[in-house]
């Protein structure tokens, strides 16, 4: 990438929905305050290597309180993405004429067994805010 291309990149808005905040302001404030939301999972435990002798171990997770924990992976990511993307569009004040030159960067989880089904997920069904 050339230097001139790097000079033309402008970040117009950021957002995030996390276990410590429903938006980027709450998330950053919680991180700055050192809040760690890890709790023992209500119903999932780790299976020990020797189930006959060892007891199951607790699983610790950082849940997003307003997301249904029983959603499948793609439904869960959609529920996380919609408010974040909506916030970005509202804060960026982009006009429809700016969209052809606009990029949207969405951070997704690393690929592993639980996220491999995402390779075929299409987010074309997302209902996003109208841009005028």
């Amino acid at each position: 990438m050339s230097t001139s291309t790097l000079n033309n990149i402008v970040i117009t808005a950021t957002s995030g929905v996390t276990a410590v905040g429903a938006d980027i302001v709450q998330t950053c404030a919680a991180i700055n305050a050192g809040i760690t939301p890890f709790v023992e999972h209500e119903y999932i435990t780790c299976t020990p290597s020797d189930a006959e002798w060892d007891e199951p171990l607790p699983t610790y997770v950082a849940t997003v309180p307003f997301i249904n924990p029983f959603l499948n992976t793609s439904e869960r990511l959609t529920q996380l993405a919609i408010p974040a993307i909506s916030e970005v569009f509202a804060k960026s004040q982009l006009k429809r004429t700016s969209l052809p030159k606009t990029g949207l960067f969405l951070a997704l989880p690393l690929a592993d067994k639980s996220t491999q089904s995402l390779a075929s997920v299409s987010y074309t069904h997302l209902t996003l805010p109208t841009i005028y």
Side-chain angles (χ1 to χ4, degrees):
M1 190 177 298
S2 71
T3 306
S4 63
T5 304
L6 288 175
N7 292 334
N8 294 329
I9 295 175
V10 177
I11 298 173
T12 57
T14 61
S15 184
V17 175
T18 68
V20 292
D23 59 28
I24 196 68
V25 173
Q26 290 176 2
T27 297
C28 289
I31 291 169
N32 285 334
I35 295 173
T36 55
F38 288 92
V39 295
E40 189 172 332
H41 199 280
E42 294 179 32
Y43 57 89
I44 294 178
T45 58
C46 292
T47 304
S49 54
D50 187 348
E52 184 178 344
W53 293 98
D54 299 328
E55 291 186 29
L57 301 170
T59 300
Y60 292 94
V61 295
T63 62
V64 177
F66 56 87
I67 301 290
N68 180 344
F70 297 102
L71 293 175
N72 68 39
T73 304
S74 63
E75 291 170 334
R76 177 177 172 73
L77 288 176
T78 300
Q79 292 297 309
L80 290 167
I82 288 174
I85 293 170
S86 297
E87 182 184 10
V88 163
F89 280 124
K91 288 169 47 177
S92 69
Q93 300 179 357
L94 289 172
K95 302 290 184 222
R96 186 176 297 273
T97 55
S98 302
L99 292 181
K101 299 183 287 184
T102 300
L104 176 65
F105 297 94
L106 184 62
L108 295 172
L110 294 174
D112 64 13
K113 287 181 183 178
S114 67
T115 60
Q116 64 188 359
S117 64
L118 293 177
S120 62
V121 172
S122 168
Y123 286 100
T124 56
H125 66 280
L126 292 179
T127 303
L128 298 173
T130 302
I131 298 176
Y132 298 99

